[in-house]
Amino acid sequence: MRKPGTDESNVAMSDVLCDFCHRQWTEDEPMIEGHHGSCVCGKCVTLAYMQVVLNGDSTAPADFKCPMCLEATADREALERGGEHGWQSPLHDEAVFCERCIKLAADSLHKSKDWGWTKPTLEKA
Ligand SMILES: [Zn+2]
Ligand SMILES: [Zn+2]
């Protein structure tokens, strides 16, 4: 998300906030962009990946819309992903990260050479 009052024609790093923890983007933390300016930081991807992908938990309410892909429950049902897990931000209830986006974000951070981010594993968790 963008900090309120951000000039869209001149977006600075500090105007970019993680949708899930509202942290500002800084040089030492990776950030992945979703649709409509939504963003998630590396720390939230780590937490979500451990909980949803490694542990198989879902902390999402039954009905949620993921800010990264903008898919709601009905959209996922139409794509036969209706029962998909999600990760609800412990800080901001309205932010729920769908499992597919968690995996996509983790894959792209893991591949990126710009950040020292690696996918969490069960041993580390
Ligand atoms: Zn975050
Ligand atoms: Zn999603």
Side-chain angles (χ1 to χ4, degrees), residues 11-122:
V11 179
M13 223 176 170
S14 61
D15 292 328
V16 179
L17 308 181
C18 172
D19 277 59
F20 299 88
C21 67
H22 296 192
R23 154 202 321 275
Q24 274 184 14
W25 191 18
T26 55
E27 300 284 352
D28 52 351
E29 194 62 54
M31 200 62 105
I32 293 278
E33 267 212 302
H35 286 287
H36 289 228
S38 62
C39 277
V40 59
C41 74
K43 286 197 165 60
C44 288
V45 176
T46 300
L47 289 173
Y49 193 88
M50 289 197 304
Q51 196 155 16
V52 173
V53 180
L54 296 180
N55 293 331
D57 289 343
S58 184
T59 62
D63 194 15
F64 69 94
K65 181 173 178 177
C66 170
M68 298 296 284
C69 60
L70 304 177
E71 283 173 8
T73 304
D75 302 314
R76 285 188 298 276
E77 276 167 1
L79 297 165
E80 296 181 5
R81 294 170 35 230
E84 187 161 300
H85 287 177
W87 181 75
Q88 183 174 46
S89 163
L91 300 172
H92 303 282
D93 282 2
E94 72 286 0
V96 183
F97 203 179
C98 78
E99 185 170 3
R100 191 182 64 138
C101 288
I102 296 169
K103 287 180 176 164
L104 288 173
D107 281 344
S108 62
L109 281 180
H110 194 79
K111 278 190 216 129
S112 166
K113 307 232 180 314
D114 301 340
W115 312 96
W117 195 95
T118 50
K119 262 186 210 176
T121 59
L122 277 177

